[in-house]
Amino acid sequence: MVEIKTDTALEAMREAGRVVAHALAAAREASAVGVRLRELDEAARTVLSEAGASSPFLGYQPSFAPVPFPAVLCVSVNDAVSHGIPGDYRLRDGDLVSVDCGAELDGWTGDAAISFIVGTPRPADLELIAATQQALDAGIAAATVGHRIGDISHAISTVARKAACGMPSDFGGHGIGRQMHEDPHVPNHGRPGRGFPLRHGLALAIEPMLMAGGHNDYLTDPDGWTLRTIDGSQAAHFEHTIAITESGPRILTLP
């Protein structure tokens, strides 16, 4: 069932989204050559704790996962597309890092992701990051009253196709509010004019994940969580929680 939020609820979600933005900024600031991924997670945990927020990631176990997720961040490096578990891996010069974070505050949730390079960037990785950011921007721009979910999906996939990138075929965005994952599903592939109608008060997490190799298939690590490109190519991930409003899409996960 799709819940349409009141303006008061959207304001509460904005506060949760602000915490997410600060946690992502802390993780990025902590990222440097030689730093372990778990240290990024520790930085985000500190932000959540100081804000009085909790993590919707920690202990989360969807049907596909063999074990609950053990961290407050998903940290995915290079060919890892998403859901990477932050462990003892030490960041290396040139690593492409995608960080996904959520926060629950006063009963409402925010969810966002960023991608960036540690140290010396490779031009192809910068192009992949730029294309993924552009896909997110296009999806958000299409999230207007009177459009449908398929218009968001089509906008994202148009950018991905132009960049000759693939996207995981069965992962995408989602409704969000009292829970991290709510209806409706927001595919990253789709046709315009199809799907659930967008109306004022609908809150969505829009999250393109682009894979440089151009394939839509992916592999899952033995941990049951980490998704990887099938050809070892690089991947990037961006996400914002937004609200559909009469005055246009409102991004809720900004600082």
Side-chain angles (χ1 to χ4, degrees):
M1 183 174 67
V2 176
E3 179 186 19
I4 302 300
K5 277 70 178 179
T6 65
D7 289 346
T8 300
L10 293 179
E11 289 302 324
M13 290 184 67
R14 175 71 182 99
E15 294 308 308
R18 201 184 309 275
V19 175
V20 172
H22 291 161
L24 287 173
R28 182 168 188 169
E29 184 175 353
S31 299
V33 174
V35 171
R36 296 183 189 274
L37 298 187
R38 67 171 67 254
E39 295 178 65
L40 279 59
D41 190 69
E42 291 165 1
R45 286 177 190 247
T46 297
V47 172
L48 294 179
S49 176
E50 291 179 349
S54 60
S55 170
F57 289 15
L58 185 62
Y60 179 61
Q61 188 175 11
S63 58
F64 67 80
V67 296
F69 196 76
V72 305
L73 294 180
C74 297
V75 185
S76 307
V77 181
N78 294 326
D79 65 329
V81 184
S82 63
H83 301 164
I85 297 174
D88 288 329
Y89 175 84
R90 291 186 182 274
L91 290 168
R92 301 171 183 174
D93 186 49
D95 276 346
L96 195 168
V97 182
S98 297
V99 181
D100 192 356
C101 182
E104 294 178 353
L105 183 67
D106 297 329
W108 296 97
T109 307
D111 188 10
I114 57 173
S115 291
F116 54 88
I117 305 296
V118 174
T120 308
R122 289 181 287 270
D125 288 348
L126 292 177
E127 291 175 5
L128 175 62
I129 287 174
T132 311
Q133 179 69 70
Q134 184 183 356
L136 174 61
D137 293 343
I140 292 173
T144 59
V145 172
H147 279 177
R148 292 177 176 267
I149 292 292
D151 294 298
I152 298 174
S153 306
H154 178 71
I156 291 171
S157 61
T158 297
V159 173
R161 285 196 301 269
K162 183 177 180 180
C165 291
M167 293 186 290
S169 54
D170 51 355
F171 283 89
H174 48 89
I176 185 170
R178 301 177 194 274
Q179 304 293 327
M180 178 170 60
H181 291 139
E182 298 182 352
D183 291 333
H185 177 56
V186 186
N188 287 328
H189 304 262
R191 298 173 62 184
R194 302 294 182 90
F196 191 85
L198 307 182
R199 46 184 287 205
H200 182 93
L202 179 63
L204 302 172
I206 299 175
E207 52 176 324
M209 297 164 250
L210 269 61
M211 302 184 290
H215 302 284
N216 294 331
D217 295 328
Y218 58 88
L219 302 172
T220 303
D221 275 4
D223 63 21
W225 278 100
T226 308
L227 309 183
R228 292 191 185 275
T229 61
I230 62 171
D231 55 5
S233 62
Q234 301 284 74
H237 179 196
F238 279 94
E239 177 183 18
H240 268 309
T241 295
I242 71 157
I244 312 298
T245 77
E246 293 290 351
S247 57
R250 180 187 181 192
I251 300 175
L252 303 179
T253 40
L254 293 173

